[in-house]
Structures are given as structure tokens and as C-alpha cells.
């Protein structure tokens, strides 16, 4: 069986599930809708994408290097809802029970950890996230794709380079350059004033990269050249903020990602505590399906 790695952006999935799924409480009265969504998404992905290896990556609580570069980075975002916070611990507890490794690194975002893992592996990889920033990791040559949920958690779309270009108007390896020009209000940095998507796409079609634009700045028309010159410092700062780091230092062993087991006594006990009756049935059915497929592959 060909190896296939699926990496989940844990924070992105948890946030999406929290706001997509109505309030759901455990037997003890603790809200668990985000955890429910994460488990449901995991089951869907295993059923449909059939990974051999699975990894989850999460953000850490500490400041990141991006906030050191720009203290107002993401400062406009609302605080994490109090009902969601304990569900992150519960998610880690669940992932430990199914033997799925978790990676994170203080000072960096989950995106950076995911980007680094991709450089350490050599197999088909699909990243599961709702975060468009991670489209910059899509790479046909390396067989790295992105699965993005659409309209909730049950449906999604696979993005290779073709789909990325259709969505963003630039190639995956130009996304950081694109955001250097137009900024990203959701992360609270703004690129170059007066430059929008259409102009950015045109510039990158002609000059390929941010550096390429400035190397040929004399060729750019007067008014646009003035915007580029005045906004150069902001553009390069935005580029640093937008670029996913791919050399974060942490211990990593890809074989740890091949030891997952969704059916165990620990999992069933957790689900009983949470009151996950429907997910228990789905998990058991999935376990039987996986076992049957394994048996079938022996013949």
C-alpha cells in the first residue's frame, strides 16, 4: 500500500467546528462541540482519503516570532471563547488515546510546524485545514495537497497547484509575495497601501516575486512605482509575516505517525464519558472496514 500522510491543522479544525456545530455538552456538562467536530472530521478523512500516516499540529499559547516582528500582529482578533479552551486539552487526550502524534513549537504557529514536517518527509501529503495561508505549501512535484472543508465539516475540496491558482490568482509559491503586496487584514498587516488583488496579480505575473518587482522597479508606471517605493518596508515586513517557516527545530520521527489505532478500549471509554454514541458507532464501523481492507490486501 502506498504511503500517504495526512496532517491536521488542529487549531483551524477546532475553531471551525466550535462555530459550525451547535452547543453540545458531555455527561458532566462540559461543552464538547469542537471536540465532536474534530473526531468527526478525523473519521471522514480516514474513510475517504485512506492515510497510512496521521499527524496533528497545534499552536502554542506563547507569543510567536511574528508578534515580535509586528506587535499588532493578530491583535484585532477576539479572545478564544472560554468554552473552547478546555476542549483543546480534551482533543490532545483523545489523540493520545488513538496514538496519533502531536507536534507544536513555542514561538511558532502550527503552519510553521506543518511546513517543517513536509520538508522532513517524502510521501504523498494532504494537509487538512480551513486556513488559506497554508495553500503556499501546495506543491505538485512533492505531491503535497491541501484539503479544505467547504460549507461546514462534512464536505471539502482538494487543492493542488491548479486549484490553488484558480482560488488565489497566483501560484502557491507566490502566495507570500502576493500577501506582501495586498496584506492580510485578518492577521492585521496591510502590505502596500493602494495595491489590491488585481494589481498584485498583474505584477506577479510579470515579475514573479516581490524581489523581482523591486529589481525591475524602473519599468513600473509612475503612480504604481511611487506606491511600491513608499511601501517597500511594509511589503518586506508583510512578506516575512506571510511566509511559512520550514526549518523549525524539533524532534521528529515519521514512523510515529504510522501507529494510530482508532479502535481501542481507551477510545471507547472516552466516548462513553463524552456521550459520543453516534461517533462510537461510526468509529466501530470504520474499524471493521479498515480491518477488512487489510485482510483483503493480503490476497
Amino acid at each position: 500500500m502506498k504511503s500517504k500522510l495526512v496532517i491536521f491543522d488542529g487549531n483551524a479544525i477546532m475553531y471551525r467546528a466550535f462555530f459550525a456545530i451547535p452547543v453540545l455538552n458531555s455527561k458532566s456538562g462540559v461543552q464538547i462541540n469542537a471536540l465532536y467536530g474534530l473526531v468527526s472530521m478525523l473519521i471522514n478523512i480516514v474513510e475517504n482519503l485512506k492515510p497510512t500516516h496521521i499527524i496533528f499540529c497545534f499552536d502554542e499559547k506563547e507569543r510567536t516570532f511574528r508578534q515580535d516582528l509586528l506587535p499588532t500582529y493578530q491583535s484585532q482578533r477576539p479572545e478564544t471563547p472560554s468554552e473552547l479552551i478546555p476542549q483543546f486539552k480534551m482533543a490532545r487526550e483523545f489523540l493520545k488515546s488513538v496514538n496519533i502524534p502531536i507536534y507544536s513549537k513555542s514561538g511558532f504557529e502550527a503552519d510553521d510546524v506543518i511546513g517543517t514536517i513536509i520538508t522532513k518527509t517524502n510521501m504523498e501529503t494532504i494537509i487538512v485545514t480551513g486556513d488559506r495561508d497554508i495553500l503556499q505549501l501546495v506543491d505538485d512535484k512533492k505531491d503535497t495537497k491541501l484539503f479544505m472543508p467547504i460549507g461546514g465539516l462534512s464536505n471539502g475540496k482538494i487543492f493542488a497547484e491548479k486549484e490553488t491558482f484558480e482560488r488565489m490568482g497566483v501560484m502557491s509559491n507566490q502566495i507570500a509575495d502576493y500577501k506582501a503586496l495586498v496584506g492580510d487584514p485578518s492577521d492585521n498587516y496591510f502590505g502596500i497601501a493602494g495595491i489590491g488583488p488585481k494589481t498584485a496579480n498583474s505584477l506577479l505575473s510579470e515579475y514573479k516575486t516581490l524581489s523581482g518587482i523591486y529589481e525591475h522597479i524602473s519599468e513600473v508606471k509612475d503612480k504604481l512605482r511611487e506606491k511600491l517605493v513608499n511601501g517597500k518596508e511594509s511589503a518586506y515586513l508583510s512578506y516575512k509575516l506571510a511566509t511559512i517557516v520550514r526549518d523549525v527545530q524539533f524532534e521528529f520521527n515519521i514512523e510515529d505517525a504510522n501507529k494510530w489505532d482508532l479502535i481501542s478500549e481507551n477510545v471507547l471509554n472516552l466516548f462513553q464519558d463524552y456521550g459520543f454514541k453516534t461517533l462510537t458507532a461510526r468509529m466501530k464501523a470504520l474499524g471493521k472496514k479498515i480491518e477488512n481492507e487489510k485482510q483483503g490486501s493480503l490476497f
Side-chain angles (χ1 to χ4, degrees):
M1 183 178 181
K2 182 183 176 183
S3 295
K4 180 190 291 187
L5 169 64
V6 169
I7 308 175
F8 285 82
D9 180 353
N11 284 71
I13 298 303
M14 291 284 283
Y15 270 89
R16 190 179 189 91
F18 181 80
F19 290 106
I21 297 174
V23 173
L24 180 68
N25 293 328
S26 69
K27 291 179 179 179
S28 61
V30 177
Q31 190 165 324
I32 51 173
N33 59 332
L35 176 63
Y36 184 97
L38 179 143
V39 177
S40 181
M41 172 71 81
L42 174 62
I43 293 173
N44 286 339
I45 291 297
V46 172
E47 284 180 333
N48 295 309
L49 300 185
K50 303 186 186 313
T52 56
H53 298 66
I54 304 175
I55 289 171
F56 269 76
C57 296
F58 285 94
D59 294 335
E60 290 284 355
K61 296 178 182 178
E62 290 79 10
R63 287 172 58 88
T64 70
F65 77 93
R66 292 181 177 86
Q67 288 162 320
D68 291 334
L69 287 172
L70 181 67
T72 55
Y73 178 78
Q74 295 184 343
S75 63
Q76 87 292 0
R77 291 189 177 184
E79 291 187 9
T80 303
S82 58
E83 298 86 357
L84 175 57
I85 293 172
Q87 295 189 63
F88 283 104
K89 182 178 179 181
M90 297 166 74
R92 288 174 178 262
E93 183 181 32
F94 161 72
L95 293 170
K96 183 178 180 181
S97 75
V98 294
N99 212 29
I100 293 176
I102 298 169
Y103 290 95
S104 60
K105 179 74 172 184
S106 295
F108 296 89
E109 297 177 34
D111 301 18
D112 304 311
V113 178
I114 293 170
T116 299
I117 289 173
I118 289 171
T119 68
K120 296 175 179 288
T121 60
N122 188 27
M123 65 179 72
E124 178 184 359
T125 300
I126 299 176
I127 305 163
V128 180
T129 183
D131 184 355
R132 290 190 305 167
D133 291 352
I134 301 183
L135 284 167
Q136 66 185 270
L137 298 178
V138 168
D139 187 337
D140 286 355
K141 290 182 181 179
K142 195 166 172 51
D143 204 4
T144 301
K145 304 179 184 69
L146 186 146
F147 177 91
M148 186 175 292
I150 296 174
L153 293 170
S154 58
N155 299 313
K157 179 177 179 178
I158 294 285
F159 286 80
E161 288 188 16
K162 175 177 177 290
E163 292 77 14
T164 298
F165 182 81
E166 290 171 352
R167 176 70 178 266
M168 300 297 295
V170 294
M171 299 302 294
S172 54
N173 61 3
Q174 294 177 305
I175 288 176
D177 303 272
Y178 172 82
K179 295 181 74 173
L181 296 169
V182 304
D184 186 342
S186 68
D187 283 336
N188 209 36
Y189 63 89
F190 301 99
I192 298 178
I195 292 185
K198 185 176 180 180
T199 301
N201 289 345
S202 176
L203 286 167
L204 291 173
S205 176
E206 178 72 20
Y207 302 114
K208 309 306 179 187
T209 66
L210 182 67
S211 295
I213 293 169
Y214 282 103
E215 286 169 5
H216 296 86
I217 193 70
S218 63
E219 301 173 14
V220 180
K221 293 181 180 179
D222 291 347
K223 288 186 177 180
L224 179 54
R225 182 170 67 243
E226 184 179 353
K227 291 177 182 177
L228 288 165
V229 170
N230 291 339
K232 184 175 182 179
E233 183 177 349
S234 177
Y236 275 97
L237 173 59
S238 297
Y239 181 82
K240 288 181 181 178
L241 296 170
T243 301
I244 292 177
V245 176
R246 306 192 194 195
D247 58 356
V248 180
Q249 299 299 306
F250 56 88
E251 292 185 9
F252 177 76
N253 183 357
I254 187 58
E255 291 311 312
D256 291 339
N258 192 31
K259 299 174 181 177
W260 54 275
D261 179 10
L262 298 185
I263 299 297
S264 71
E265 199 65 30
N266 288 338
V267 177
L268 297 179
N269 288 338
L270 276 178
F271 281 16
Q272 186 174 9
D273 291 340
Y274 298 150
F276 284 169
K277 293 181 180 179
T278 301
L279 291 182
T280 298
R282 287 181 62 193
M283 197 73 93
K284 287 181 177 179
L286 177 60
K288 289 181 181 179
K289 183 179 180 181
I290 292 172
E291 190 59 35
N292 289 337
E293 289 175 351
K294 286 180 179 178
Q295 292 297 325
S297 67
L298 297 176
F299 299 98

